């Protein structure tokens, strides 16, 4: 489903963000991506949703290759990938319902479909009572749940999470992790980048560990 | 489509200031362009008016018979470019000159004889009112017997020719500069608008919106802003034209053409400027 084959990413000639990265993620996997800040976690995620292209090597995402994919095909690939971030990236001028629905509207979903799916996601994420609230009225945990809702509403095959608990307290972080595990249990693969070792410990999930842009462990 | 229109309206409400600046920039450019068009059209019109008065005057030797004058007129009429010939007799010339002198006419009356010669006023096709053609035709007419002298205001014609050339060149250069700078200004303003909504665009891309989906609301915004600008500037230009034409009778407006041109141009500037700005941003980022 996702395969990295000897991937290198250079932002400057003498500075490699990622070096010789190779791994595979199968359908329904739950994988942690660990490493300190600057170890290349975000770059690796960007390579998956093709915001960046590898300098060397090849990445396969859902049978599409980074070497041959056309610019026009990238949006269609992204519709099958959900991405969430530490800073949530919500639209501040839209309420919870509109933020989630936005994920479907921009890809041309019909009004009825958008409404049905958005309401289903609101219920699933226990956000129904907050549907008219704006991001500034939400707690960190609620904001992240809205971001997850926006990613899930398109029913992606994988959810990429870039430090999703970075801006929320430890208790809420556990809730978010539990939510991610529930999502995974329903069949969506999850790749979660984090530097929070406590979250990873004892999870029993696969861990890819990055150090200075190199894959130092695949446990 | 509904979503696109909704996104465009949302965007405009969210960026009121930017929209206001865009409208102001387009309106200002169009009003200057419209004002310049009025100036040019009337400038050229006055030049044409002066040009239409250009005639070759062929002064005749004294004592020509009517038959001789008729035959001379016919020969001149056969010259390419000549459309009309008017015979001014010695007496008519005397009367015209006296009228022109006004209160100084006594000076003329003091003379015992009429010193003015009879003449043929030769009218030319407008296309032949160039320096080269006037020279050529005058030379031909001057060779006929019975012609004493030729006059056609050579200095004047040279000056008019120069004025037309300079005016047209300045007009073209100024119009191009104004058009390019209007598009650049709109591009920069829309670019600022796009930059201020980069998070929004990034989220759209993240959830799989195509470039055309992202582009259309911005172009639609450009269209609305330019439509408002066009209405404002076309109204101002129409108002100016109305005032000028009612005040100065010689002033001409071609009101509808100028107003409609300004309107269409404004919309084009808005659309082109928006498209350039969004495309540039989308190209820079994947």
């Amino acid at each position: 489903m996702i395969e990295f084959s000897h991937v290198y990413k250079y932002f400057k000639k003498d500075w490699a963000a990622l070096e010789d990265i190779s791994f595979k993620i199968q359908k329904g996997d739950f994988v942690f991506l660990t490493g300190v800040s600057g170890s290349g976690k975000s770059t690796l995620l960007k390579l998956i949703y093709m915001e960046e292209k590898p300098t060397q090597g090849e990445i396969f995402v859902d049978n599409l290759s980074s070497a041959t994919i056309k610019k026009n095909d990238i949006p269609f690939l992204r519709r099958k990938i959900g991405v969430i971030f530490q800073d949530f990236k919500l639209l501040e001028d839209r309420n919870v319902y509109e933020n989630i629905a936005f994920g479907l509207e921009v890809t041309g979903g019909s009004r009825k479909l958008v409404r049905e799916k958005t309401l289903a996601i609101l219920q699933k994420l226990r956000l129904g009572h907050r549907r008219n609230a704006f991001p500034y009225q939400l707690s960190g945990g609620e904001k992240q749940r809205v971001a997850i809702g926006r990613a899930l509403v398109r029913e992606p095959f994988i959810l990429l999470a870039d430090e999703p608990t970075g801006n929320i307290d430890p208790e809420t972080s556990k809730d978010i992790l539990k939510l991610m595990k529930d999502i995974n249990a329903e069949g969506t693969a999850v790749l979660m980048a984090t530097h929070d070792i406590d979250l990873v410990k004892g999870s029993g999930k696969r861990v890819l560990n990055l150090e200075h842009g190199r894959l130092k462990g695949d446990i | 489509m509904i979503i696109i229109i909704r996104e465009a309206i949302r965007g405009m409400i969210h960026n009121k200031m930017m929209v206001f600046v865009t409208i102001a920039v387009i309106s200002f450019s169009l009003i200057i362009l419209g004002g310049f068009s009025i100036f040019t059209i009337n400038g050229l019109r006055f030049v044409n008016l002066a040009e239409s008065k250009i005639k070759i005057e062929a002064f005749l030797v004294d004592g020509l018979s009517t038959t001789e004058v008729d035959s001379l007129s016919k020969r001149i009429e056969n010259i390419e470019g000549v459309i009309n010939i008017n015979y001014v007799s010695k007496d008519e010339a005397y009367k015209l000159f006296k009228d022109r002198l006004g209160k100084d006419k006594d000076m003329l009356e003091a003379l015992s004889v009429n010193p003015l010669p009879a003449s043929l006023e030769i009218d030319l096709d407008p296309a032949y009112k160039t320096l080269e053609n006037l020279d050529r035709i005058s030379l031909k007419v001057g060779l006929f017997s019975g012609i004493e002298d030729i006059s056609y205001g050579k200095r004047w014609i040279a000056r008019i020719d120069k004025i037309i050339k300079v005016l047209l060149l300045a007009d073209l250069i100024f119009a191009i500069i104004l058009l390019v700078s209007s598009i650049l200004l709109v591009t920069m303003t829309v670019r600022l608008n796009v930059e201020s909504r980069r998070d929004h665009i990034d989220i759209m891309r993240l959830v799989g919106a195509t470039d055309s989906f992202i582009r259309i609301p911005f172009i639609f915004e450009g269209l609305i802003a330019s439509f408002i600008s066009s209405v404002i500037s076309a109204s101002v230009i129409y108002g100016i034209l109305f005032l000028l034409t009612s005040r100065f009778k010689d002033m001409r407006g071609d009101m509808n053409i100028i107003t409609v041109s300004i309107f269409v141009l404004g919309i084009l500037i808005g659309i082109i400027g928006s498209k350039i700005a969004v495309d540039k941003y989308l190209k820079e980022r994947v």
Side-chain angles (χ1 to χ4, degrees):
Chain A
M1 195 174 59
I2 289 176
E3 183 180 352
F4 274 55
S5 175
H6 303 286
V7 170
Y8 290 77
K9 179 66 190 177
Y10 285 86
F11 285 109
K12 280 183 190 167
K13 241 185 183 179
D14 52 349
W15 182 60
L18 291 171
E19 273 184 288
D20 197 20
I21 306 287
S22 295
F23 67 86
K24 281 184 186 175
I25 294 176
Q26 302 295 348
K27 196 170 182 286
D29 279 358
F30 192 115
V31 182
F32 281 110
L33 180 63
T34 59
V36 294
S37 296
S39 58
K41 300 189 294 294
S42 297
T43 304
L44 192 146
L45 295 180
K46 281 180 183 171
L47 287 167
I48 296 176
Y49 61 89
M50 301 208 181
E51 187 176 319
E52 297 289 349
K53 280 204 153 193
T55 314
Q56 202 183 310
E58 199 170 358
I59 301 160
F60 297 91
V61 184
D62 197 32
N63 295 325
L64 290 166
S65 162
S66 60
T68 54
I69 192 166
K70 288 180 190 130
K71 195 174 178 252
N72 290 345
D73 292 330
I74 294 176
F76 298 96
L77 171 71
R78 288 185 185 158
R79 292 176 192 187
K80 294 188 247 173
I81 301 172
V83 193
I84 59 168
F85 299 90
Q86 180 175 354
D87 60 356
F88 321 118
K89 293 199 191 300
L90 297 179
L91 296 165
E92 294 297 319
D93 61 338
R94 283 156 214 241
N95 64 27
V96 169
Y97 177 92
E98 290 167 331
N99 262 287
I100 294 173
F102 191 70
L104 277 176
E105 282 176 342
V106 297
T107 53
S110 73
R111 254 180 129 174
K112 189 168 173 269
L113 184 85
V114 171
R115 190 175 158 75
E116 278 171 12
K117 287 199 170 183
T118 307
L119 289 175
I121 287 286
L122 281 169
Q123 198 178 12
K124 185 176 178 179
L125 298 178
R126 290 173 281 115
L127 283 167
H129 64 295
R130 305 290 274 155
R131 59 178 284 183
N132 293 321
F134 284 86
Y136 68 90
Q137 296 169 312
L138 303 174
S139 69
E142 284 173 327
K143 282 182 189 171
Q144 197 56 281
R145 293 219 307 273
V146 176
I148 291 171
R150 187 180 63 202
L152 287 184
V153 78
R154 286 174 289 117
E155 297 167 1
F157 67 81
I158 189 165
L159 180 64
L160 306 176
D162 192 358
E163 300 275 4
T165 57
N167 265 346
I168 42 191
D169 61 80
E171 253 339 278
T172 318
S173 295
K174 282 177 192 160
D175 285 347
I176 294 293
L177 182 60
K178 187 181 173 301
L179 182 59
M180 307 275 267
K181 283 179 176 169
D182 291 346
I183 292 162
N184 178 241
E186 285 173 19
T188 308
V190 174
L191 177 58
M192 179 169 162
T194 182
H195 65 267
D196 186 349
I197 297 301
D198 291 339
L199 275 181
V200 182
K201 266 183 200 166
S203 67
K205 302 291 183 191
R206 182 179 164 202
V207 180
L208 295 172
N209 184 37
L210 281 174
E211 272 181 39
H212 303 296
R214 284 187 163 268
L215 203 54
K216 287 292 179 186
D218 186 350
I219 314 152
Chain B
M1 194 62 196
I2 295 167
I3 295 166
I4 290 167
I5 295 170
R6 199 191 64 197
E7 286 297 316
I9 293 168
R10 255 183 200 276
M12 292 183 89
I13 294 168
H14 197 68
N15 292 280
K16 287 187 277 287
M17 197 58 207
M18 287 291 177
V19 174
F20 176 76
V21 172
T22 311
I23 291 172
V25 164
I26 303 178
S27 305
F28 187 68
S29 308
L30 289 178
I31 290 169
I32 293 181
L33 201 65
F36 189 70
S37 309
I38 297 172
F39 170 78
T40 309
I41 287 171
N42 282 288
L44 282 174
R45 191 175 163 262
F46 287 126
V47 169
N48 281 337
L49 212 68
E51 217 176 37
S52 70
K53 287 184 178 160
I54 293 170
K55 277 177 186 166
I56 297 175
E57 260 187 307
F59 299 104
L60 307 175
V61 288
D62 271 351
L64 286 184
S65 67
T66 320
T67 331
E68 280 171 321
V69 172
D70 280 348
S71 135
L72 194 55
S73 296
K74 272 185 191 142
R75 287 169 74 191
I76 293 172
E77 250 175 357
N78 286 333
I79 300 172
E80 195 189 332
V82 175
I83 53 169
N84 191 33
I85 292 173
N86 182 33
Y87 174 67
V88 181
S89 68
K90 269 179 84 76
D91 291 344
E92 281 168 333
Y94 183 82
K95 196 174 169 288
L96 280 169
F97 193 54
K98 210 167 102 178
D99 289 348
R100 218 178 287 166
L101 283 176
K103 60 181 180 181
D104 295 326
K105 64 182 179 186
D106 296 347
M107 271 167 45
L108 200 63
E109 279 166 359
L111 294 169
S112 53
V113 289
N114 176 5
L116 298 169
S119 63
L120 291 174
E121 284 179 357
I122 306 166
D123 202 3
L124 302 179
D125 185 291
Y128 285 83
K129 285 178 181 173
T130 61
L131 199 55
E132 301 85 62
N133 280 314
L134 283 159
D135 268 343
R136 188 177 54 79
I137 294 166
S138 302
L139 200 73
K140 272 189 184 174
V141 174
L143 290 174
F144 295 138
S145 62
I147 303 291
E148 171 113 53
D149 198 10
I150 299 270
S151 157
Y152 61 92
K154 188 171 180 159
R155 266 212 335 232
W156 247 108
I157 294 149
R159 199 173 290 171
I160 288 173
D161 258 13
K162 210 173 168 186
I163 289 171
I164 293 175
K165 278 177 191 155
V166 171
L167 201 66
L168 284 178
L169 187 71
D171 195 52
L172 192 72
I173 293 170
F174 191 74
I176 290 171
I177 291 173
L178 212 57
L179 258 182
V180 172
S181 54
S182 308
I183 292 175
L184 275 178
L185 274 170
V186 173
T187 306
M188 280 193 284
T189 322
V190 178
R191 180 66 202 240
L192 282 174
N193 186 4
V194 173
E195 286 290 343
S196 75
R197 277 150 72 186
R198 62 191 311 161
D199 287 348
H200 188 96
I201 296 175
D202 289 348
I203 293 169
M204 284 175 109
R205 293 194 124 168
L206 199 66
V207 295
T210 56
D211 280 358
S212 49
F213 188 92
I214 299 169
R215 192 186 290 123
I216 293 169
F218 282 98
I219 294 177
F220 196 75
E221 276 181 53
L223 178 72
I224 296 174
S226 55
F227 180 80
I228 297 170
S229 316
S230 288
V231 170
I232 295 172
S233 38
S235 310
V236 171
I237 290 296
Y238 192 86
I240 293 172
L241 278 171
F242 185 77
L243 275 176
L244 286 176
T245 45
S246 55
R247 220 148 179 226
F248 307 101
K249 286 210 169 131
D250 266 349
M251 199 89 186
R252 226 178 60 188
D254 297 319
M255 283 163 98
N256 293 335
I257 299 173
I258 296 179
T259 312
V260 170
S261 307
I262 289 294
F263 191 84
V264 172
L265 204 62
I267 288 177
L268 284 179
I269 289 173
I271 294 174
I272 294 170
S274 306
K275 191 174 180 319
I276 293 173
V278 184
D279 282 357
K280 205 157 177 268
Y281 181 86
L282 293 176
K283 231 180 197 176
E284 282 165 14
R285 301 161 76 89
V286 181

